[in-house]
């Protein structure tokens, strides 16, 4: 994905310019998360970005590009247990910002499913989400790194 460094009217990149890249970032993140293949033992999970708010902005001045992020992201994991019971988990990243490294991002794991499926609930929360969360985090981390390579 190409990250623009400046507009046509600012060819040498010398003038101050602010570009909102939020829509392009959101679209690319949704594609990459949906493309994740997430098998875990007997679970086969699908991932989708269910909430994405905040901004991704690029600032250009005197030929230097700075990319700033301030995002709130939720990724929903859905799938079926071996017994056919449908399960759903949400990975919430309440504060993804350019001031922190990806390893410092907070993540909350919430699991919603039928009460009768408590053993599966435990598996989803303790194992599946923990196994998959680093892969979801890596999608956002890699995408942010691509944007920053232009800096």
């Amino acid at each position: 994905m190409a990250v623009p460094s400046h507009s046509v009217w600012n060819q040498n990149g010398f003038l101050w310019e602010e570009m909102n890249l939020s829509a392009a970032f959101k679209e690319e993140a949704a594609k990459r998360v949906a493309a994740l293949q997430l098998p875990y033992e007997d679970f086969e999970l699908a991932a989708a970005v269910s909430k994405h708010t905040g901004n991704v902005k690029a600032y250009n001045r005197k030929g230097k590009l700075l990319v700033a992020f301030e995002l709130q992201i939720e990724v929903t994991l859905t799938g079926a247990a071996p017994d056919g019971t449908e399960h759903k988990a949400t990975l919430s990243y309440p504060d993804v910002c350019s001031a922190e490294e990806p390893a410092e991002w907070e993540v909350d794991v919430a699991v919603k499913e039928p009460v009768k499926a408590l053993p599966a609930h435990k598996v989803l929360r303790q194992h599946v989400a923990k196994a998959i969360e680093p892969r979801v985090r890596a999608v956002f981390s890699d995408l942010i790194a691509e944007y920053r390579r232009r800096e």
Side-chain angles (χ1 to χ4, degrees):
M1 180 177 75
V3 179
S5 57
H6 48 71
S7 295
V8 175
W9 59 265
N10 191 13
Q11 283 301 311
N12 65 3
F14 188 77
L15 302 173
W16 173 265
E17 182 177 1
E18 179 180 320
M19 295 169 279
N20 188 339
L21 306 175
S22 300
F25 184 91
K26 182 178 182 176
E27 183 180 322
E28 186 65 21
K31 276 193 238 175
R32 291 184 187 195
V33 167
L36 283 175
Q37 295 197 2
L38 305 170
Y40 180 79
E41 293 180 8
D42 294 336
F43 284 88
E44 185 67 39
L45 297 170
V49 175
S50 51
K51 179 183 173 189
H52 186 283
T53 58
N55 295 304
V56 178
K57 292 192 177 183
Y59 303 95
N60 188 340
R61 172 71 169 118
K62 293 187 179 180
K64 294 186 180 184
L65 183 70
L66 171 67
V67 180
F69 299 86
E70 191 173 323
L71 303 167
Q72 298 79 42
I73 302 166
E74 282 186 7
V75 174
T76 301
L77 305 172
T78 55
D83 66 1
T85 308
E86 289 292 320
H87 297 278
K88 186 174 173 181
T90 303
L91 304 174
S92 299
Y93 300 88
D95 188 26
V96 174
C97 69
S98 48
E100 294 179 342
E101 292 298 317
E104 298 171 341
W105 297 344
E106 242 181 81
V107 62
D108 299 319
V109 180
V111 180
K112 296 177 183 169
E113 76 234 299
V115 175
K116 66 180 182 178
L118 287 178
H121 169 89
K122 187 175 181 180
V123 168
L124 246 167
R125 184 164 178 83
Q126 292 181 350
H127 302 289
V128 178
K130 285 182 183 176
I132 288 170
E133 190 278 327
R135 294 180 59 202
V136 172
R137 182 183 300 254
V139 166
F140 293 104
S141 176
D142 292 348
L143 193 51
I144 286 170
E146 284 179 33
Y147 273 72
R148 284 188 165 160
R149 271 189 222 119
R150 303 284 297 173
E151 291 183 350

